[in-house]
Structures are given as structure tokens and as C-alpha cells.
């Protein structure tokens, strides 16, 4: 491994593009590390039986740290590289996991969750960026969307660990799962040592020979003279030169015309993914099923696990077909379906529920209506399936591919930070919301989904199947409020088109030089 990475790994586009997704799985681990202990008596007793507001604050500590991590990642990634930033995120997660596992009070638990959140914020921004810069266009959407799949796997695996440990009496029932969650981060940090750095980052740091070698291993079967490899290294060098003269020097550069539109699209999509209501179904599914009338702890845990299995399974078709179906259709269908299911859940809760007492807590609950309870559980499953096959994968893929090279690191960081701002707000607000306005909470999130549908229909252009450079032509079309008018073949070029265009540019430059002579 004299190259600093394994050439065999680099030659496999699926391995090189997917391994870093373990970083996304850390977010999934955190979701289940909380949702799996909400009904755990040992957890409640250890941390002073937190009420709705206190529990919301404990959960929200992680996205608070993630917000900071997402905003600092662009500087870290530009200085140390994409690869080493991913490695760093893994070790930060280990520190946070140790603190959570050893926590003896809420302060120590929150501190551990903030540090783990810092890791998740860094990983959630840098992994899609690394993937988009190192994978080829025809499978870029598929591989970047695996970020969401890794999140679902993290949720599922950690939940089953929590479920198994729930049969243990005492603190070990939650400390063991919190300790085990550092294992994937260790695998990530050690495994990334065998992976290549982003060629775009290397060129930007005047290491063109290394970048060419990596591109040859990635896309040319080790041949640096391969025509596509030569074309790609030339395009990257042109982009980097442009970035050095016109690139974003600060976050204020994201407000420039042509860039601000894309920043709002990337950030708002991450916002809508949170406002879709998926947070309710992931962090607080135990509360949801309690309100539906499923109050037995074991039965609730089993019902929750079914949802997490569906979340993993239904993400697979999206990964396979995201580049065929397109981003827009998936988002439009997904937001409509999610809004519909949430309205049904809220309507049934409102019609058949009442205020009651569950384990000493005041809860809006359905009793004596087994059919309604089962219907709400089914609609909740359908909501999760709708998110998994549409919004979930696209919400990570779209922001990673719509920005020009000169602002990409900062713009992706802002988009990801928007995710964590709303994740933080909702993680804190949902428990008090369910305990105060009950079923009306579902109507609010249902309305958010319908609002997202309108926004996406008018303003989000299609980007599937294009290189990061060809996407520039998509936004050059304009159609800020009529995104549906941009056809799916806009911007697409063959190799001959790119070569011809370069010849034309060189001819113009030659004529200009002669005219000046």
C-alpha cells in the first residue's frame, strides 16, 4: 500500500463509494440509542425520570452538536482533506460514546451526546461530499443515497441491541448498547486508511500527480493515459483554477446571484426532510404507539422493530432506481404520501382518543378500539415506507450534487447544518407537543409535507444522470419558479461533445492571442 491506499479497493466503484457511509450509520445508532431506552425503567431512574421537556433536551443535545460539526466541516475538510476528516469524525464519536456509556447524571449524558453530535455533523456533511467527488456520474446518486441506507441500518442494528439488552436488569440494559455503538466508528476510522483521497482536493493542493494516479485507479483500470481519466483530470484542474480566482472566500459568497438559489434549495430540502415528521416516527415511536393504544413495553418494542426493518428494506429500491426515477418524481410522490398518512393518523387519534394515564404520564391514548389501534400502526408503517423510498435518500443526494466546485464545501455544510437546526428544534419540541396538543401534532407535520410538495414542484429542477459539471447547464436554464420546464436531457453531453467544446475553446484562445500579438 505504498500509494497510501489500496488500488484494489479504489478500482471497485461500489466499495470506494459506499464504505464511508458507515459515517451516516452513526446518526442511525444515535436515534435508536435514545428511542430504545425511553420506556426503560433503569434509564429513567438513573437520570431522574426526565419529563417531556427534559427528555426533549437530552435528545436534542446530539443535533445541537451536529449543527456545530456541520458548519466547521468545510474548514476541516479543506485543510486536512476529505479522507482524514472522515477518520477524525469516527474518533470523535468514540469519545462521545465513552462519555454516554459512563454517564452518571444528565449533565454527563448531554455532554457525551453533544460530542457524538459533533461527529455526526462532520460525517453527515463530509461523506456525501467525498462520495460525489470520487464516484462516476452514472452511479453517483445510487452511492450517495446509500448514506440514508446506512442511517437506517444504524437505527435497526442498535435497536435490536437495545431490545436484547432490555431483558437485562439494571444499568447494563442501556450502558452496554451505548458502549457497543463505538465499534462501527472504530471500523470506519481504521478502514478509511485503505481508501484514496478525493482527487479534486489533491488538485486543489497542488498534488496533481497523486490525483491522476487515483483517477487512473478509480476510472481507468490503473492507466493514467486512459482518455476518460485525462479528460477528468483536465476538467478538475480547470475547475480548481476557476475556484482559486472566483471561489467562495467566506460564507457571504453563498449569497451571490446564481449560488443563493441553490443554497436555498439544498438547505430547504434538508429542512423539509426533518419537517416531514420522520423524527416523530424514529426518535419517539414508542410515544406514537402508546397513544395508539399499544401500551405493553415488549409489544411496543416489537412493533417498533417492524418499522425499523421496513425502513431498511424500502430504502433499497430507492438506491437502485434513484438515477432512473429521478429526484423530482421521488420527492413529489413522497411528500404527498407522507402528508396523507399523517393526516389519517391524526384524524383517527382525534376521533377515537382521549386523555389518559400511561405509566404515570398524561397521554392522549386510544382504548377499547383494537381495529383503530392496528390501523394507526399500519399507517405509521406506510409513512415510514414512503419516506424510505423517496425523501430519505434524495435529501442527501440532491444537496451534494447541485453546487459548483468553487462553493461546494461551504454550501453542503450550510445545507447539512439546516438539517441539524430543524432536527434539534423538533427533537426538543415533539415530546411537549405530544403531551399538550396530542393528535394535532400529526396535522402540523402533514401540512408541512403538502407545503414541501408545492415548493418542490415549482422550484426543484431534475439533476439525475448528469456530471457535476453538466448540472451547471441545468441551473443556467433559469426557470427559478418553473422547474418542471427543464427537460431531463438538458446539460447531458457525450465525450465527443466535451472534447469538441474544448477544441473550440482552445481555437478561440489561439485567435485571441494572435490578435493581441
Amino acid at each position: 500500500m505504498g500509494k497510501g491506499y489500496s488500488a484494489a479497493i479504489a478500482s471497485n466503484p461500489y466499495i470506494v463509494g459506499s464504505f464511508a457511509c458507515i459515517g451516516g450509520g452513526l446518526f442511525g445508532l444515535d436515534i435508536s440509542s435514545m428511542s430504545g431506552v425511553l420506556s426503560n425503567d433503569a434509564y429513567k431512574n438513573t437520570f431522574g425520570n426526565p419529563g417531556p421537556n427534559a427528555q426533549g433536551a437530552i435528545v436534542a443535545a446530539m443535533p445541537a452538536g451536529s449543527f456545530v460539526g456541520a458548519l466547521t466541516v468545510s474548514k476541516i475538510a479543506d485543510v486536512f482533506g476529505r479522507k482524514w476528516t472522515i477518520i477524525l469524525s469516527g474518533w470523535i464519536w468514540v469519545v462521545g460514546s465513552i462519555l454516554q456509556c459512563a454517564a452518571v447524571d444528565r449533565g454527563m449524558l448531554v455532554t457525551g451526546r453533544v460530542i457524538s453530535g459533533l461527529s455526526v455533523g462532520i460525517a453527515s456533511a463530509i461523506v456525501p461530499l467525498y462520495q460525489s467527488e470520487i464516484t462516476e456520474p452514472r452511479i453517483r446518486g445510487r452511492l450517495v443515497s446509500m448514506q440514508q441506507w446506512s442511517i437506517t441500518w444504524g437505527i435497526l442494528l442498535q435497536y435490536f441491541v437495545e431490545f436484547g439488552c432490555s431483558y437485562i436488569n439494571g444499568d447494563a440494559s442501556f450502558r452496554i448498547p451505548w458502549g457497543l455503538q463505538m465499534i462501527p466508528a472504530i471500523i470506519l476510522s481504521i478502514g478509511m486508511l485503505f481508501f484514496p483521497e478525493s482527487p479534486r482536493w489533491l488538485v486543489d493542493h497542488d498534488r496533481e500527480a497523486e490525483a491522476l494516479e487515483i483517477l487512473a485507479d478509480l476510472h481507468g483500470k490503473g492507466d493514467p493515459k486512459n482518455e476518460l481519466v485525462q479528460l477528468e483530470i483536465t476538467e478538475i484542474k480547470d475547475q480548481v483554477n476557476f475556484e482559486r480566482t472566483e471561489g467562495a472566500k467566506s460564507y457571504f459568497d453563498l449569497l451571490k446571484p446564481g449560488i443563493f438559489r441553490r443554497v436555498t434549495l439544498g438547505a430547504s430540502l434538508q429542512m423539509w426532510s426533518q419537517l416531514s415528521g420522520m423524527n416523530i416516527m424514529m426518535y419517539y415511536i414508542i410515544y406514537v404507539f402508546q397513544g395508539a393504544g399499544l401500551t405493553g413495553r415488549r409489544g411496543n418494542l416489537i412493533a417498533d422493530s417492524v418499522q425499523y426493518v421496513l425502513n431498511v428494506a424500502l430504502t433499497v429500491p430507492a438506491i437502485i432506481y434513484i438515477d432512473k426515477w429521478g429526484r423530482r418524481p421521488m420527492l413529489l410522490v413522497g411528500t404527498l404520501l407522507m402528508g396523507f398518512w399523517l393526516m389519517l393518523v391524526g384524524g383517527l387519534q382525534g376521533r377515537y382518543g382521549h386523555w389518559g394515564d400511561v405509566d404515570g404520564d398524561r397521554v392522549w391514548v386510544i382504548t377499547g378500539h383494537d381495529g383503530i389501534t392496528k390501523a394507526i400502526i399500519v399507517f405509521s408503517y406506510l409513512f415510514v415506507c414512503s419516506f424510505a423510498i423517496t425523501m430519505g435518500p434524495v435529501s442527501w443526494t440532491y444537496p451534494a450534487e447541485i453546487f459548483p466546485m468553487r462553493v461546494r464545501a461551504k454550501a453542503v455544510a450550510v445545507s447539512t447544518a439546516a438539517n441539524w437546526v430543524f432536527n434539534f428544534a423538533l427533537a426538543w419540541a415533539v415530546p411537549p407537543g405530544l403531551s399538550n396538543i396530542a393528535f394535532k401534532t400529526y396535522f402540523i407535520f402533514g401540512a408541512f409535507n403538502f407545503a414541501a410538495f408545492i415548493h418542490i414542484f415549482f422550484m426543484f429542477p431534475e439533476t439525475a444522470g448528469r456530471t457535476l459539471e453538466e448540472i451547471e447547464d441545468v441551473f443556467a436554464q433559469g426557470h427559478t419558479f418553473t422547474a418542471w420546464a427543464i427537460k431531463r436531457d438538458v446539460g447531458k453531453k457525450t465525450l465527443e461533445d466535451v472534447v469538441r467544446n474544448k477544441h473550440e475553446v482552445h481555437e478561440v484562445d489561439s485567435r485571441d492571442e494572435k490578435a493581441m500579438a
Side-chain angles (χ1 to χ4, degrees), residues 47-94:
F47 299 106
N49 292 294
N53 188 59
Q55 184 57 58
I58 291 171
V59 173
M62 192 281 295
S66 298
F67 173 74
V68 177
L71 286 181
T72 58
V73 73
S74 66
K75 183 64 175 178
I76 298 172
D78 285 344
V79 173
F80 298 105
R82 293 14 175 174
K83 170 181 173 177
W84 287 101
T85 302
I86 294 173
I87 292 172
L88 175 65
S89 71
W91 292 122
I92 293 175
W93 174 268
V94 170

Side-chain angles (χ1 to χ4, degrees), residues 18-28 86 89 93 119-120 123-124 127 147 150-151 184 188:
S18 62
F19 181 81
C21 286
I22 294 176
L26 301 181
F27 178 31
I86 294 173
S89 71
W93 174 268
S119 165
V120 171
S124 64
V127 169
Q147 166 89 341
S150 69
I151 293 174
L188 172 68

Side-chain angles (χ1 to χ4, degrees), residues 27-309:
F27 178 31
L29 293 175
D30 175 81
I31 289 175
S32 285
S33 74
M34 275 287 101
S35 66
V37 301
L38 293 179
S39 61
N40 187 320
D41 291 333
Y43 164 80
K44 293 179 181 179
N45 294 333
T46 300
F47 299 106
N49 292 294
N53 188 59
Q55 184 57 58
I58 291 171
V59 173
M62 192 281 295
S66 298
F67 173 74
V68 177
L71 286 181
T72 58
V73 73
S74 66
K75 183 64 175 178
I76 298 172
D78 285 344
V79 173
F80 298 105
R82 293 14 175 174
K83 170 181 173 177
W84 287 101
T85 302
I86 294 173
I87 292 172
L88 175 65
S89 71
W91 292 122
I92 293 175
W93 174 268
V94 170
V95 174
S97 296
I98 292 172
L99 288 175
Q100 291 179 70
C101 181
V104 295
D105 55 31
R106 292 183 195 174
M108 190 172 178
L109 175 60
V110 168
T111 300
R113 287 184 57 73
V114 169
I115 293 175
S116 291
L118 184 66
S119 165
V120 171
I122 293 172
S124 64
I126 192 60
V127 169
L129 185 64
Y130 176 78
Q131 290 174 307
S132 67
E133 291 183 351
I134 209 163
T135 56
E136 52 185 304
R138 67 182 179 86
I139 58 172
R140 186 183 65 244
R142 186 178 304 166
L143 292 180
V144 176
S145 65
M146 288 185 73
Q147 166 89 341
Q148 176 63 23
W149 199 40
S150 69
I151 293 174
T152 66
W153 271 109
I155 295 171
L156 178 66
L157 295 176
Q158 179 72 343
Y159 193 83
F160 278 124
V161 172
E162 296 269 6
F163 182 78
C165 291
S166 70
Y167 290 91
I168 301 174
N169 294 322
D171 291 0
S173 61
F174 64 86
R175 294 195 190 279
I176 290 175
W178 289 357
L180 290 176
Q181 67 182 356
M182 70 179 73
I183 294 176
I186 295 172
I187 294 173
L188 172 68
S189 294
I190 295 176
M192 281 300 298
L193 295 173
F194 299 90
F195 283 74
E197 180 55 85
S198 163
R200 286 173 170 82
W201 182 84
L202 290 170
V203 171
D204 192 31
H205 287 73
D206 300 317
R207 294 162 62 178
E208 294 179 12
E210 294 176 62
L212 179 61
E213 185 177 42
I214 289 173
L215 284 171
D217 288 331
L218 286 171
H219 309 310
K221 298 181 179 180
D223 179 12
K225 296 182 180 180
N226 179 281
E227 186 176 12
L228 285 173
V229 171
Q230 286 294 318
L231 181 60
E232 193 165 8
I233 191 69
T234 301
E235 287 186 337
I236 292 173
K237 287 161 63 176
D238 290 344
Q239 288 175 344
V240 168
N241 289 333
F242 179 69
E243 180 183 5
R244 287 175 175 173
T245 56
E246 304 292 336
K249 304 299 188 296
S250 74
Y251 281 99
F252 289 107
D253 290 326
L254 302 182
L255 302 177
K256 291 181 178 179
I259 302 301
F260 183 67
R261 173 191 175 190
R262 290 185 243 187
V263 172
T264 58
L265 292 180
S268 61
L269 184 58
Q270 290 282 18
M271 174 192 75
W272 289 129
S273 74
Q274 292 300 316
L275 294 178
S276 68
M278 192 62 172
N279 258 314
I280 301 178
M281 300 301 178
M282 292 292 107
Y283 278 127
Y284 302 117
I285 189 61
I286 285 180
Y287 295 162
V288 174
F289 286 172
Q290 277 182 349
L294 190 64
T295 55
R297 183 184 174 200
R298 300 295 181 204
N300 204 321
L301 288 171
I302 293 172
D304 299 350
S305 66
V306 172
Q307 170 175 278
Y308 295 139
V309 171

Side-chain angles (χ1 to χ4, degrees), residues 265-267 269-270 394-403 411-412 415:
L265 292 180
L269 184 58
Q270 290 282 18
V394 180
S395 66
W396 293 107
T397 303
Y398 198 85
E401 65 187 5
I402 61 174
F403 301 113
V412 170
S415 297

